[in-house]
Amino acid sequence: MNQLSIAVILVFNLILQTTILQHFRIFGIIPNTTLILLVVIAILFGRKKGAVIGLIAGLLQDILIGRILGVNALVYMLIGLGIGCFENKIFKDHAVTPIFFTLLATLSYHLMQYLIMYTVNDRVDLLLLFTKVIAIEAVYNSVIAGFAYGWIYNFLYHSKTKIKTR
């Protein structure tokens, strides 16, 4: 995985998420493409790259659109690290893998965000958050992850394995 290609993908993703995807809301919710990208990278390349990409992507989001600097960076880093731990234990060629991990990552992302924001006295009703945001976003992210995984797999991972076997 080339650092330049990942940097380009992260910047393109951030631009896409903050502009075009604003017009693709379902019940007022947009997909978290950064989380989807992070899950796919962590599945394909492991915990170290997952954590680093999560940290960088989270810092980019925090600087540009975040409320508190470092929250997204910490949450994405932990998710990338956690999912990356399963890199050698999962079957990467199956479409259910990214769907399951994206669903799990979306739930984890919002739970960690809630806990962090709760500690800084930014209270939100967890039941309302789950019914109005988390459930919809988890399904939305998982569906997109199922489609995006194949493309990212072929673009980033499959090309890497072809080069290694020569």
Side-chain angles (χ1 to χ4, degrees):
M1 176 175 66
N2 185 338
Q3 284 84 6
L4 180 61
S5 63
I6 286 297
V8 168
I9 289 171
L10 287 175
V11 170
F12 177 74
N13 174 64
L14 190 61
I15 293 169
L16 180 74
Q17 189 169 358
T18 57
T19 57
I20 295 170
L21 288 179
Q22 297 295 322
H23 301 289
F24 293 96
R25 293 177 182 267
I26 295 179
F27 300 111
I29 305 299
I30 63 169
N32 189 341
T33 54
T34 304
L35 186 64
I36 296 167
L37 184 61
L38 174 62
V39 167
V40 171
I41 288 171
I43 288 171
L44 296 177
F45 298 104
R47 62 188 172 139
K48 188 184 283 186
K49 288 199 186 217
V52 169
I53 297 301
L55 180 68
I56 293 168
L59 279 174
L60 280 172
Q61 268 192 351
D62 284 336
I63 290 168
L64 295 175
I65 56 175
R67 291 179 11 207
I68 299 174
L69 186 63
V71 173
N72 281 320
L74 175 65
V75 171
Y76 284 143
M77 184 186 71
L78 291 174
I79 289 173
L81 182 68
I83 291 175
C85 288
F86 294 101
E87 174 203 13
N88 295 327
K89 298 173 180 75
I90 56 175
F91 186 61
K92 296 178 184 179
D93 292 333
H94 204 281
V96 174
T97 303
I99 293 171
F100 170 75
F101 280 107
T102 302
L103 182 69
L104 185 65
T106 304
L107 295 172
S108 301
Y109 171 81
H110 283 288
L111 181 61
M112 285 189 271
Q113 282 272 355
Y114 174 80
L115 291 173
I116 291 169
M117 298 312 280
Y118 186 83
T119 60
V120 295
N121 288 328
D122 190 6
R123 304 284 201 270
V124 176
D125 183 15
L126 187 60
L127 183 62
L128 182 67
L129 181 68
F130 184 80
T131 58
K132 299 287 184 184
V133 177
I134 299 172
I136 297 166
E137 187 177 320
V139 172
Y140 202 2
N141 286 349
S142 296
V143 169
I144 292 173
F147 291 109
Y149 183 75
W151 181 79
I152 295 171
Y153 178 82
N154 288 329
F155 181 71
L156 291 177
Y157 186 73
H158 197 61
S159 61
K160 173 187 154 195
T161 57
K162 281 183 185 177
I163 293 169
K164 277 189 167 181
T165 58
R166 287 186 184 171

